[in-house]
Amino acid sequence: MVRTTKVKDEVKFIYIAILCIFLVVLGHFVLMKDVAYSAWAEATAAAIPFLLIGLGVAAVRRAASIDKENTPAE
């Protein structure tokens, strides 16, 4: 089986996955009872889902672009 992607490209996706996990954990901490009613916490909790969606879309587009670059033309 021929490898079509570089390890460097795959590691970048691991960084994106770790960032997504951090954002999910941050969202849970922001919604704790002690800080949930702060103005910054409300804005942060509202922004996290949009950041996750944006990261997901960007990762899929990047993966498609890498796949297109590395697939030999027939």
Side-chain angles (χ1 to χ4, degrees), residues 28-43 45:
H28 281 84
F29 280 121
V30 164
L31 294 176
M32 288 186 343
K33 191 186 295 186
D34 298 336
V35 294
Y37 298 107
S38 303
W40 66 268
E42 186 177 339

Side-chain angles (χ1 to χ4, degrees), residues 10-49:
E10 293 178 9
V11 169
K12 289 180 184 179
F13 290 114
I14 293 173
Y15 292 143
I16 292 172
I18 291 171
L19 180 61
C20 288
I21 291 169
F22 172 74
L23 285 172
V24 169
V25 170
L26 177 68
H28 281 84
F29 280 121
V30 164
L31 294 176
M32 288 186 343
K33 191 186 295 186
D34 298 336
V35 294
Y37 298 107
S38 303
W40 66 268
E42 186 177 339
T44 303
I48 288 175

Side-chain angles (χ1 to χ4, degrees), residues 59-72:
V60 168
R61 292 184 72 182
R62 176 79 176 136
S65 141
I66 290 172
D67 192 39
K68 188 176 180 181
E69 289 173 5
N70 295 329
T71 304

Side-chain angles (χ1 to χ4, degrees), residues 38-59:
S38 303
W40 66 268
E42 186 177 339
T44 303
I48 288 175
F50 294 109
L51 287 172
L52 289 171
I53 291 169
L55 280 171
V57 169

